[in-house]
Amino acid sequence: MPIWVRVRIRMPRTSDEMETSAKLNTGFTIGPFPFIRLPKALAERLGFDISRARPLHGVLDAAGRSLPMFELGVVEVKVVEPDRESEWVRAVAVYTGASSVLLNDFLIEELGIEPVRPGSGFWRFRGEPPGRLRKSAEPEYWRD
């Protein structure tokens, strides 16, 4: 079971936020920067126009195949739990056509998330006691 966390996403300098589940992916690396993959429906609700997105070249999937990816712009992201929230972190939003939100390795780290038992879906915030395990959120998929 992959790890999913609840996140809030907003455009910089706005108060309109969208809350959803996001999957952690430590193999999702595009340079040393925080990236978040957004599904079309969520990207459009945040105000992005997919048709104006800039293609990112040279992005490969885990098998080394070219992965069509489009840069949407910058968003702010935070992890939300009933008893705690992370700070807002700026990330580059991208679109690939997938229906789920995906956090890359650098964004996971910036948000203070520590995957503890990824096969079982457990994680914690950086600095929490070793025995403190948080359970994966329910997966959420966005349909166009």
Side-chain angles (χ1 to χ4, degrees):
M1 165 185 225
I3 297 174
W4 292 76
V5 295
R6 295 296 296 174
V7 295
R8 286 195 190 122
I9 307 165
R10 69 182 183 192
M11 300 294 274
R13 298 175 296 280
T14 66
S15 59
D16 293 338
E17 303 170 5
M18 297 294 303
E19 186 170 323
T20 189
S21 293
K23 186 173 16 176
L24 307 187
N25 185 344
T26 59
F28 174 24
T29 304
I30 305 174
F33 304 105
F35 277 83
I36 182 169
R37 182 189 70 196
L38 300 178
K40 182 179 181 184
L42 178 56
E44 289 174 343
R45 287 180 81 178
L46 287 166
F48 290 112
D49 181 352
I50 300 293
S51 68
R52 295 181 183 260
R54 182 177 70 86
L56 290 174
H57 301 286
V59 180
L60 305 176
D61 69 10
R65 298 173 299 225
S66 180
L67 179 64
M69 186 174 290
F70 301 88
E71 183 178 343
L72 300 170
V74 175
V75 293
E76 294 176 331
V77 183
K78 73 166 23 181
V79 178
V80 292
E81 282 284 293
D83 65 330
R84 185 171 173 182
E85 296 182 355
S86 71
E87 297 293 322
W88 286 104
V89 174
R90 285 192 173 210
V92 177
V94 296
Y95 171 72
T96 64
S99 63
S100 63
V101 175
L102 192 68
L103 309 181
N104 86 330
D105 46 7
F106 283 93
L107 183 53
I108 293 166
E109 189 171 311
E110 288 292 316
L111 289 167
I113 299 168
E114 292 181 348
V116 178
R117 292 176 39 203
S120 302
F122 290 101
W123 65 281
R124 68 174 160 246
F125 282 108
R126 184 181 312 117
E128 289 187 316
R132 174 65 162 117
L133 296 179
R134 295 177 182 273
K135 191 172 174 136
S136 187
E138 286 296 317
E140 190 169 349
Y141 298 94
W142 290 75
R143 305 289 178 218
D144 293 342

